[in-house]
Amino acid sequence: MQLTQKNLLGIKDLSINDIQTILQTSTHFKEILQRVSKQLPSLRDLTVVNLFYENSTRTRISFELAEKRLGASIINFTTSGSSSAKGETLLDTVKNILRMKVDMVVVRHSASGVPHFLAKQTNAIIINAGDGTNEHPTQALQDAYSIQEKFGKIEGVKVAIIGDILHSRVAPSNIYLLTKMGAEVMICAPPTLLPKYLKEAFPLIHIEYDLEKTLRWCDVANVLRIQLERQNQPLFSSLREYNLSYGIKKNILHRIDKEIVIMHPGPINRGVEIDSDIADSEQSIILDQVENGVAIRMGVIYLFSGSPIAVNTK
Ligand code: CP
């Protein structure tokens, strides 16, 4: 199972075949994760550093768990308690860690392009765990996996991505992946939360400003968090008004009189982009996305490590 890329920098670089290979491999790992004994020895010769320069719960824990399930040796780096507080550069930090015989770097950073920079400057295998507003490839893979699990396919499924697209790295990765795999994609947000050149960058998408029209159109609503920490000027009048116009609520879902699947990459701002009763409802597959994140990250680490050992599903 050969991939076209040495590093996972973004979905933009992956071929359709790469994506299918990752999804299929992750299906084997998902089966293994249902067993009492979930531990595999496949990657016991691999050493991975999880380099998190930005906060994370789901991505950091699921990468760590995936690496442990595959038997890899792991090191966890966070800026707190590290020498980056003394002014050490990112590259010096990474070069020092790699000199300790580390093979793979899983990196999250608030600056777009950090994984690409590390891929140019080092020989390690680089896996992007989210870079600025650029991409979050493993999130898109777990989202697509969850859609495939629910609908039995990705092609032809109508997916609406709703919310703060401007500050999102989940949105671009999802758009790349879903359009490559033949899904239909609609973006819905207030104009101030849309990047200027969205249609030029992604000619295949539909753009809609009206939430009710979007929900009537879609099979899946992937709802994104309002990223207040990345907004340095007000982009809408108040969180309450955002919730009234763009929040996923019981009354609007009743009005459209149609069962749609609700997704959210997390963390959720309850009562802002989605109300609690919807996030926790039978329509929601938010926790399935989280569960699938471990299998996807096992698939990604396994495939990008170039391991020649076949996945043992027995
Ligand atoms: N979805 C996601 O990336 O969540 P974390 O920031 O908690 O990793």
Side-chain angles (χ1 to χ4, degrees), residues 241-254:
E241 277 175 340
Y242 180 85
N243 176 258
L244 289 173
S245 304
Y246 285 95
I248 309 298
K249 313 170 85 62
K250 204 188 271 178
N251 62 0
I252 195 165
L253 291 179
H254 274 172

Side-chain angles (χ1 to χ4, degrees), residues 71 75 83 87 93 146 191 207 231 284:
I75 310 159
S83 287
T93 302
S146 305
I207 297 178
Q231 297 182 14
S284 160

Side-chain angles (χ1 to χ4, degrees), residues 268-289:
I268 299 172
N269 289 317
R270 289 173 181 265
V272 179
E273 68 269 3
I274 188 166
D275 285 1
S276 273
D277 48 1
I278 306 302
D280 302 330
S281 70
E282 291 290 308
Q283 281 176 268
S284 160
I285 59 164
I286 294 171
L287 290 177
D288 296 339
Q289 290 171 262

Side-chain angles (χ1 to χ4, degrees), residues 36-237:
V36 176
S37 176
K38 302 170 178 61
Q39 201 61 32
L40 295 170
S42 316
L43 298 185
R44 62 180 168 219
D45 294 332
L46 185 81
T47 305
V48 186
V49 59
N50 297 311
L51 199 70
F52 278 69
Y53 275 83
E54 197 190 60
N55 293 345
S56 168
T57 298
R58 281 145 291 271
T59 311
R60 187 174 54 79
I61 290 174
S62 58
F63 263 114
E64 187 176 336
L65 205 47
E67 292 148 9
K68 284 182 171 158
R69 298 283 189 230
L70 289 166
S73 301
I74 64 170
I75 310 159
N76 291 315
F77 171 97
T78 53
T79 44
S80 155
S82 79
S83 287
S84 61
K86 300 175 196 164
E88 188 166 41
T89 66
L90 168 75
L91 190 56
D92 278 340
T93 302
V94 172
K95 280 185 171 171
N96 277 269
I97 292 171
L98 293 179
R99 197 58 182 255
M100 299 182 215
K101 310 293 180 207
V102 170
D103 309 298
M104 181 183 276
V105 179
V106 173
V107 60
R108 168 169 288 195
H109 204 287
S110 56
S112 300
V114 161
H116 308 70
F117 171 70
L118 294 181
K120 278 208 180 102
Q121 298 290 335
T122 74
N123 288 323
I125 303 158
I126 308 293
I127 306 293
N128 184 355
D131 65 321
T133 57
N134 178 45
E135 281 222 42
H136 192 347
T138 53
Q139 180 69 48
L141 286 159
Q142 77 192 59
D143 293 350
Y145 187 96
S146 305
I147 290 170
Q148 185 168 265
E149 197 172 56
K150 189 77 189 170
F151 292 87
K153 60 177 186 174
I154 299 171
E155 190 173 3
V157 178
K158 291 180 172 173
V159 182
I161 304 173
I162 301 164
D164 185 355
I165 312 297
L166 184 65
H167 301 98
S168 176
R169 53 190 169 219
V170 173
S173 287
N174 262 272
I175 298 170
Y176 283 127
L177 197 157
L178 292 167
T179 52
K180 279 179 200 237
M181 300 302 285
E184 282 194 65
V185 180
M186 181 175 280
I187 299 298
C188 176
T192 51
L193 290 181
L194 287 176
K196 269 196 187 123
Y197 301 106
L198 191 63
K199 191 72 181 165
E200 284 81 351
F202 302 106
L204 293 178
I205 61 169
H206 311 279
I207 297 178
E208 177 56 69
Y209 305 107
D210 185 276
L211 180 62
E212 191 163 332
K213 281 188 191 159
T214 302
L215 295 175
R216 285 187 191 284
W217 174 86
C218 70
D219 303 310
V220 179
N222 194 354
V223 186
L224 303 185
R225 181 171 72 90
I226 292 292
Q227 305 206 27
L228 287 174
E229 76 278 15
R230 294 204 179 129
Q231 297 182 14
N232 43 24
Q233 61 181 57
L235 294 169
F236 47 86
S237 48

